[in-house]
């Protein structure tokens, strides 16, 4: 079954949002644990963990979406060539 490019990109965006939520939540959780046990309940480890999680999710999404765009077929014409309109046959 052939998939449309829009459907594939839509699925990848859904995966990106899910990945971002999981990594954001994991960063907050890990930052909270470090804050609780090592940094006397400061806010910055939680914020840093959330930032790292979002950064990792962004990098994964960028790689995933760029791989889809790169697979798209290029046009048949070469750079610098001008395309000519088709001439009518039989006139």
């Amino acid at each position: 079954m052939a998939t449309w490019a829009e459907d594939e990109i839509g699925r990848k965006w859904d995966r990106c949002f899910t990945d971002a939520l999981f990594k954001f939540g994991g960063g907050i959780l890990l930052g909270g644990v470090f804050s609780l046990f090592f940094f006397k309940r400061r806010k910055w480890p939680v914020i840093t963990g959330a930032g790292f999680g979002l950064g990792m999710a962004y990098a994964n999404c960028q790689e995933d979406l760029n791989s889809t765009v790169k697979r798209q077929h290029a046009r048949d014409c070469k750079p610098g060539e001008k395309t000519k309109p088709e001439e009518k046959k039989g006139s």
Side-chain angles (χ1 to χ4, degrees):
M1 181 176 149
T3 60
W4 294 92
E6 294 88 6
D7 294 337
E8 185 177 352
I9 289 176
R11 279 193 300 274
K12 287 189 178 194
W13 270 111
D14 291 342
R15 243 182 301 165
C16 284
F17 287 132
T18 304
D19 187 41
L21 284 175
F22 278 120
K23 287 195 167 116
F24 179 71
I28 286 177
L29 183 68
L30 194 60
V33 168
F34 271 84
S35 174
L36 184 63
F37 290 121
F38 300 115
F39 296 109
K40 300 180 185 175
R41 298 185 184 187
R42 304 270 187 205
K43 289 182 189 177
W44 68 266
V46 176
I47 295 169
T48 303
F52 279 137
L54 285 177
M56 288 172 52
Y58 178 80
N60 290 344
C61 287
Q62 184 179 18
E63 184 68 31
D64 199 19
L65 291 172
N66 283 341
S67 70
T68 302
V69 173
K70 288 178 184 176
R71 280 189 313 184
Q72 304 262 331
H73 299 290
R75 291 186 176 187
D76 292 335
C77 61
K78 295 177 183 167
E81 286 185 4
K82 293 185 178 181
T83 58
K84 297 178 184 176
E86 292 185 27
E87 297 176 12
K88 293 181 182 178
K89 295 180 181 179
S91 15

